[in-house]
Amino acid sequence: DTIEQHYGVTILYCCESGSRAWGFPSQDSDYDARFVYISDPSRYVSIREFKDVIEYSNDGILDVNGWDIRKALRLFYNSNSTLYEWLQSPIVYREHAEFTDPIRRLIPEYFAPRAGIFHYLGLSKGIYPQDIEKDDVRLKKYFYVLRTLLAAKWIVEYRACPPMQFSTLLTLVTDEEIVSIIGELLVLKSNGTESTTVPAIPILNTFISNLYNECYDAVQHIPKYINDDVAPLDELFRTMLERTGGL
């Protein structure tokens, strides 16, 4: 409400996007709220460019970031995996169904499997191997790399947008010993903090290495996909402009 009043916008959708939504928060995890908003319709017909991001933070507890609808729809058109995750979050703070219902229905039409796999492999490379091949590993790093690689594997297996929740991604793991180890780590993380460390787990590190290589090899054989039909997204944009004040 404060953001809407201060910036003169309407928040169409707001959700949790971090570890709380993924399903493995720590005791001191912050709140990573992400939203899509629409400005006064008159701004979109001006020759002036305007800032299309709103950012707000509060003493490390709240990390709030929002995208203007036009920015969001452009990213959606380009198969932006981050936005697709937001739209699947199990924790929703605000939602206008006239925006979220049609855009969710369009995800299968615009999701590009090859781009999605490279997105998640890229995220994993920011962690693996440098952050897990140590004597002591920050517990959150294990979960960050497992989530991203399992999301990549989901795309490899189903050629579809991966679910956001870690518990669903974990159904891809068939090795009972690995599942048991991850289950024990989930308990530790829920009772620990963001800085909690554990001794490196060689069998888990090997699993992660093999999973990365499997997904990297698989993506080489997946063709590029581009849906260049912008009409459905333009229509949604115009519809939301009309419903928030018209032109």
Side-chain angles (χ1 to χ4, degrees):
D1 290 343
T2 299
I3 288 172
E4 285 188 327
Q5 294 166 11
H6 181 77
Y7 291 96
V9 300
T10 298
I11 293 177
L12 302 174
Y13 178 69
C14 182
C15 69
E16 187 67 24
S17 73
S19 59
R20 293 178 183 275
W22 296 327
F24 46 77
S26 303
Q27 290 290 315
D28 59 346
S29 291
D30 62 359
Y31 291 85
D32 297 298
R34 299 292 181 265
F35 61 95
V36 176
Y37 64 91
I38 190 166
S39 299
D40 186 289
S42 64
R43 300 187 72 183
Y44 300 102
V45 293
S46 170
I47 64 171
R48 291 180 181 272
E49 291 292 335
F50 60 91
K51 188 176 180 180
D52 56 8
V53 174
I54 294 174
E55 297 172 309
Y56 174 83
S57 62
N58 181 8
D59 297 329
I61 299 173
L62 298 178
D63 179 2
V64 183
N65 185 294
W67 292 344
D68 178 81
I69 184 174
R70 187 162 59 180
K71 176 185 180 71
L73 291 176
R74 287 172 175 168
L75 290 170
F76 186 95
Y77 172 76
N78 288 306
S79 191
N80 182 275
S81 293
T82 299
L83 179 57
Y84 291 174
E85 279 193 17
W86 295 1
L87 292 166
Q88 297 183 83
S89 176
I91 304 174
V92 176
Y93 300 122
R94 179 163 299 179
E95 180 171 13
H96 290 263
E98 62 268 31
F99 171 69
T100 55
D101 286 353
I103 199 170
R104 286 192 181 114
R105 287 195 296 268
L106 289 170
I107 289 176
E109 301 297 323
Y110 289 89
F111 178 71
R114 181 181 174 88
I117 294 170
F118 275 122
H119 167 79
Y120 287 110
L121 289 179
L123 291 177
S124 72
K125 285 300 287 182
I127 305 166
Y128 162 80
Q130 61 273 14
D131 287 331
I132 67 168
E133 293 187 351
K134 298 179 176 180
D135 292 338
D136 294 302
V137 181
R138 288 183 68 187
L139 194 49
K140 66 182 293 184
K141 297 295 185 177
Y142 264 139
F143 281 101
Y144 282 9
V145 75
L146 284 167
R147 184 193 77 87
T148 55
L149 289 178
L150 288 174
K153 181 174 174 60
W154 186 281
I155 304 171
V156 170
E157 294 289 332
Y158 301 112
R159 300 295 197 273
C161 188
M164 189 176 190
Q165 290 177 283
F166 184 71
S167 59
T168 307
L169 294 172
L170 195 56
T171 61
L172 293 171
V173 182
T174 57
D175 186 317
E176 293 184 2
E177 184 176 6
I178 295 297
V179 172
S180 177
I181 290 170
I182 293 173
E184 293 172 2
L185 294 181
L186 278 169
V187 174
L188 287 175
K189 192 169 191 307
S190 67
N191 293 314
T193 69
E194 290 291 280
S195 59
T196 296
T197 63
V198 295
I201 305 171
I203 189 174
L204 187 57
N205 286 13
T206 299
F207 172 80
I208 289 169
S209 176
N210 291 341
L211 186 56
Y212 179 90
N213 291 332
E214 175 190 341
C215 293
Y216 184 82
D217 291 343
V219 75
Q220 310 305 319
H221 307 288
I222 297 177
K224 292 182 179 180
Y225 171 78
I226 298 175
N227 181 350
D228 61 1
D229 182 10
V230 74
L233 299 174
D234 276 345
E235 180 180 355
L236 177 58
F237 180 43
R238 296 187 187 107
T239 297
M240 296 315 303
L241 286 176
E242 291 171 359
R243 293 184 181 180
T244 54
L247 294 176

